[in-house]
Amino acid sequence: TRMGGMFDWRHSLSTTDPEYYKWTQWLFLQLYRAGKAYKKKGAVNWCPECKTVLANEQVIAGECERHPGVQVEQRLLEQWFFRITEYAERLLGNLDDRTRMDWSASTVAAQRNWIGRSEGAEIAFATDAGAPIRVYTTRPDTLFGATFMVLAPEHPLVDRLTVEAQRAAVESYRKTALAKDVVARRVGDRTKTGVFTGGTAVNPATGARIPVWVADYVLMEYGTGAIMAVPGHDDRDFEFATTFGLPVIRVLASAEDDVEAPLTAAVPDTDGMRLVRSGRFDGQSAEQGQRAIIDWLTSEGHGQGQVRYRLYDWCISRQRYWGPPIPIIYCDQCGAVPVPERDLPVLLPPLEDFRPDDSGISPLARDEQWYHVPCPSCGGKARRETDVSDTFLDSAWYYLRYLSTDFDDRAFDPARVKRWLPVASYIGGNEHAVLHLLYSRFVAMVLHDLGQLPFEEPFATFRAHGLIVKDGSKMSKSRGNVVIPDQYIDQWGADTFRMYLMFLGPFQEGGDFRDAGISGPRRFLDRVWDLVDQSLAAEQLKAVPRPVAVKYHQTVKKVTEDLASLSYNTAIAALMELLNTFREHQATDRSMVEGLVLMLAPLVPHFAEENWERLGHHGTVFDARWPQWDPTCLVLDEIEVVVQVNGKTRSKVLVGRTVGE
């Protein structure tokens, strides 16, 4: 409030309030009834410090986002998921629709990379295990270079392909691999490890039998849990082949390459490359070869073209106390039964010990009276779901609840949604580029499909703000380099502090906070105050010099455009230049001074209100009409010409703009 934030405090909410999470539970039920929520057993990320499951998006370089330095583990648990992968194509396609989404390029890129659309082929490699190994590859053009296969430790064919002599080694390796988290296995840069199963598969292109290995860098959750390894054209496969002495075959080369020379590194680039050692496909470009090999695989029954995504379904289960209990009841007779909407919210029971443990079971299960309930369908003995939902589900829809906090009979009011939404302008940190924003988009799409919302993209414009740096590093509580605004407001005033923050640097990049820099904006505001005094005392019939008029209209145009594009620092710089022009020409024209005050109002509202009143106005400055610029006053009639003699500047003269025409 001291900073001048114009918020309507009547529409505030807390996601921990039962009156809020009642509707989060209602939202879960909408997705559940629509078939978008399901429970399955799968490999999940477990934080030993949080003692709960994490979504892949909450694991950073193998560590918990809340506990840097704590390595996340992998566990096999039954969890609730939302089918966000069903919306992958829409989530991706809408990013290119500027009529729906005008977002920061960095945020769009982050979402596009996380969704990870790829085109390729699914190929079947025959085995002696009675079932083929199916792989998905984006590089079917390199099929002739597949010299071995790698299965994820969790792959169901591992046991059937492992020969007895290798069984102990394979089991030991699998146990070690399954203790690691999914994200670190996928993106970790480290020496490749693996173990040979003793089994083989048949490359459908060459007919050759190739060895089948198990390695933790292959994930069951991505693709099919198996890869065809082409070490000649994939860096990870080359590293694996080099480590274990497996063959490397080049099947793509340019006209200048010596095909017979052994490769010292993988050649993943396809520019200017043509297929070699690829039978009937020799001589084709990589792009031609990809299409031709997919057609051949399809006709021979060995595979088909496919589109896939890197995106996983959203795991929403959490094994902790804090969070909305997932509104499902389990009955031995009826199975999973949704809690009736009339019984919402399912309240958190009071627990003396609400700390989670390593069991993977929520502490809610400790309250026997809360846990055991009658079945809503048959009335028989039943038990509650003890997992709570991810708090990102709370934040995925709160923009809808803000409108309707005064209603307790609906999550959001349709008439208000129609009037106010989608959100016209949303500003936030880039740390939400994937998590909050992607989940919010998914939830909006589901509600749109269910007829609950008239739009499917919740935020028309999104801009990611930059970071403020102090003492050479990002401001953070852990580093102890945070700035407490109160002390600066006490010393300099809220408007000086606001202007300094906006003047630090480009809004979407941030800037370096230095105490010494805050005096500059204060001096500027003091001079504006003096200019208002001079304007009040001046004779108003004095003509405005042309350079002042031109500078004024140029500034109105620039500030108007800069505010719309969040270019606050350059808008402030333009206002400072305008003030200097006023001072240089001793200009005190009342209408232009009032225009300067109006342009300052969004930046320094308290200061502008005070000066607006000093200038004789009784209403608020924010009811005044924004200044307009005159296109005919944007260019000076005279220009400065430099006079040089023998290459040295001798003078400067003003001449008419049209002189010499």
Side-chain angles (χ1 to χ4, degrees):
T1 300
R2 294 183 72 194
M3 288 286 284
M6 296 180 182
F7 304 108
D8 185 348
W9 297 108
R10 295 171 301 173
H11 293 280
S12 60
L13 56 85
S14 169
T15 60
T16 64
D17 188 334
E19 287 305 307
Y20 182 88
Y21 72 70
K22 164 186 179 178
W23 299 111
T24 301
Q25 293 170 338
W26 171 88
L27 178 61
F28 173 91
L29 294 178
Q30 307 311 300
L31 272 71
Y32 177 78
R33 294 191 181 104
K36 308 305 180 187
Y38 67 96
K39 195 172 189 181
K40 73 165 185 176
K41 188 172 186 178
V44 292
N45 303 304
W46 177 271
C47 174
E49 189 71 23
C50 297
K51 301 187 188 304
T52 188
V53 166
L54 305 178
N56 289 329
E57 294 86 349
Q58 293 166 307
V59 181
I60 310 299
E63 299 176 355
C64 173
E65 67 167 357
R66 292 179 179 270
H67 299 100
V70 175
Q71 288 293 319
V72 173
E73 302 169 357
Q74 187 181 32
R75 288 193 178 187
L76 287 172
L77 295 173
E78 263 205 322
Q79 304 287 286
W80 281 97
F81 293 84
F82 284 159
R83 300 186 191 276
I84 191 172
T85 53
E86 289 186 2
Y87 289 77
E89 190 62 43
R90 282 166 68 182
L91 290 166
L92 190 61
N94 284 1
L95 294 173
D96 296 321
D97 187 348
R98 298 287 288 185
T99 63
R100 293 190 186 191
M101 299 179 64
D102 178 15
W103 283 26
S104 297
S106 59
T107 308
V108 169
Q111 292 216 357
R112 183 175 285 113
N113 292 338
W114 193 262
I115 296 168
R117 184 183 192 276
S118 63
E119 295 184 10
E122 184 179 273
I123 306 173
F125 288 72
T127 70
D128 293 328
I133 299 174
R134 297 189 180 277
V135 304
Y136 171 75
T137 177
T138 60
R139 297 292 305 277
D141 53 305
T142 63
L143 176 59
F144 284 79
T147 58
F148 60 98
M149 302 197 73
V150 185
L151 303 182
E154 309 94 325
H155 198 286
L157 288 180
V158 169
D159 287 333
R160 294 162 67 178
L161 284 167
T162 301
V163 300
E164 201 57 40
Q166 289 293 104
R167 193 162 301 280
V170 169
E171 287 305 313
S172 175
Y173 182 83
R174 291 174 82 183
K175 183 177 180 180
T176 302
L178 292 177
K180 300 175 182 176
D181 75 276
V182 174
V183 174
R185 283 174 55 188
R186 182 172 69 231
V187 301
D189 292 327
R190 51 191 171 75
T191 302
K192 295 294 178 286
T193 63
V195 62
F196 180 40
T197 65
T200 61
V202 178
N203 184 327
T206 64
R209 285 193 167 273
I210 55 178
V212 179
W213 287 67
V214 175
D216 62 5
Y217 76 94
V218 179
L219 302 175
M220 196 64 220
E221 300 294 318
Y222 185 67
T224 63
I227 65 166
M228 65 174 206
V230 184
H233 303 283
D234 182 273
D235 292 328
R236 294 188 310 171
D237 296 344
F238 184 87
E239 181 184 345
F240 193 92
T242 302
T243 301
F244 294 103
L246 298 166
V248 178
I249 297 176
R250 181 170 197 161
V251 293
L252 282 170
S254 66
E256 298 79 24
D257 291 326
D258 181 359
V259 178
E260 302 302 325
L263 288 172
T264 57
V267 184
D269 189 12
T270 61
D271 288 346
M273 298 286 181
R274 295 195 170 273
L275 271 63
V276 296
R277 296 185 179 133
S278 298
R280 73 178 76 178
F281 307 104
D282 278 357
Q284 296 187 21
S285 68
E287 185 177 351
Q288 292 170 333
Q290 177 156 325
R291 291 195 300 267
I293 289 176
I294 289 176
D295 290 343
W296 175 80
L297 287 168
T298 303
S299 65
E300 295 295 318
H302 296 305
Q304 60 186 354
Q306 278 194 357
V307 173
R308 295 223 174 172
Y309 300 90
R310 180 176 176 265
L311 183 68
Y312 296 86
D313 275 348
W314 175 13
C315 176
I316 67 157
S317 286
R318 298 295 181 268
Q319 294 70 42
R320 55 187 174 220
Y321 177 81
W322 294 110
I326 292 176
I328 293 292
I329 293 173
Y330 299 102
C331 172
D332 291 337
Q333 300 298 321
C334 306
V337 180
V339 173
E341 290 184 17
R342 64 178 181 275
D343 293 338
L344 297 180
V346 177
L347 296 171
L348 288 167
L351 289 180
E352 283 192 23
D353 181 9
F354 55 80
R355 291 171 298 181
D357 57 31
D358 285 314
S359 68
I361 299 173
S362 169
L364 296 181
R366 300 170 193 160
D367 189 319
E368 294 286 333
Q369 186 174 354
W370 180 89
Y371 178 52
H372 294 287
V373 292
C375 172
S377 292
C378 70
K381 292 183 178 180
R383 57 202 178 277
R384 292 192 187 277
E385 170 63 72
T386 58
D387 284 357
V388 298
S389 60
D390 182 8
T391 52
F392 275 102
L393 180 57
D394 294 321
S395 61
W397 74 281
Y398 59 45
Y399 67 96
L400 292 165
R401 186 60 183 166
Y402 279 136
L403 308 175
S404 304
T405 52
D406 46 338
F407 294 105
D408 58 10
D409 62 342
R410 70 205 84 165
F412 43 85
D413 182 66
R416 291 188 182 179
V417 166
K418 185 176 180 179
R419 179 183 177 190
W420 288 98
L421 296 176
V423 176
S425 181
Y426 190 4
I427 294 171
N430 230 350
E431 67 271 18
H432 296 310
V434 172
L435 289 163
H436 164 58
L437 292 174
L438 190 64
Y439 295 154
S440 296
R441 294 180 62 209
F442 162 67
V443 168
M445 285 182 179
V446 175
L447 291 176
H448 172 72
D449 291 350
L450 295 177
Q452 300 273 7
L453 295 180
F455 56 84
E456 67 173 42
E457 287 296 344
F459 313 124
T461 299
F462 177 82
R463 293 291 181 267
H465 61 68
L467 297 175
I468 297 180
V469 173
K470 192 172 189 293
D471 303 327
S473 60
K474 170 188 172 183
M475 275 195 191
S476 72
K477 289 179 288 185
S478 62
R479 293 187 177 93
N481 64 344
V482 295
V483 167
I484 307 301
D486 297 328
Q487 64 195 57
Y488 291 90
I489 295 174
D490 291 340
Q491 181 178 356
W492 297 98
D495 284 332
T496 298
F497 188 57
R498 283 170 60 112
M499 178 167 277
Y500 175 60
L501 292 177
M502 287 184 274
F503 196 49
L504 276 180
F507 183 81
Q508 296 184 65
E509 296 177 18
D512 191 359
F513 189 99
R514 299 175 185 273
D515 286 0
I518 200 168
S519 60
R522 177 55 181 265
R523 285 194 301 270
F524 167 70
L525 295 178
D526 286 343
R527 288 168 183 164
V528 173
W529 186 272
D530 292 341
L531 177 65
V532 171
D533 280 339
Q534 295 163 18
S535 176
L536 291 170
E539 172 58 55
Q540 295 302 312
L541 298 177
K542 185 178 179 181
V544 177
R546 176 70 181 180
V548 174
V550 170
K551 189 65 175 178
Y552 174 79
H553 288 280
Q554 289 175 339
T555 304
V556 172
K557 182 176 186 294
K558 179 164 181 58
V559 171
T560 302
E561 294 171 348
D562 282 356
L563 291 181
S565 63
L566 309 184
S567 301
Y568 303 126
N569 60 322
T570 54
I572 293 170
L575 292 167
M576 290 178 172
E577 290 179 12
L578 176 61
L579 178 64
N580 290 338
T581 300
F582 281 155
R583 288 162 59 88
E584 179 186 347
H585 292 272
Q586 297 182 341
T588 57
D589 179 78
R590 176 72 65 85
S591 64
M592 290 188 178
V593 172
E594 289 185 352
L596 172 61
V597 171
L598 284 167
M599 289 186 281
L600 282 168
L603 308 170
V604 286
H606 313 90
F607 178 84
E609 286 279 30
E610 186 69 18
N611 280 289
W612 193 245
E613 182 178 325
R614 292 174 69 214
L615 286 164
H617 300 282
H618 299 292
T620 172
V621 68
F622 293 102
D623 283 340
R625 186 169 183 260
W626 185 257
Q628 306 296 303
W629 71 87
D630 183 348
T632 65
C633 295
L634 296 178
V635 180
L636 280 169
D637 294 331
E638 294 179 321
I639 57 174
E640 189 176 62
V641 175
V642 177
V643 179
Q644 291 186 330
V645 178
N646 295 328
K648 294 184 178 179
T649 300
R650 297 301 185 187
S651 180
K652 297 178 181 179
V653 295
L654 290 174
V655 299
R657 176 169 290 279
T658 59
V659 70
E661 290 185 359

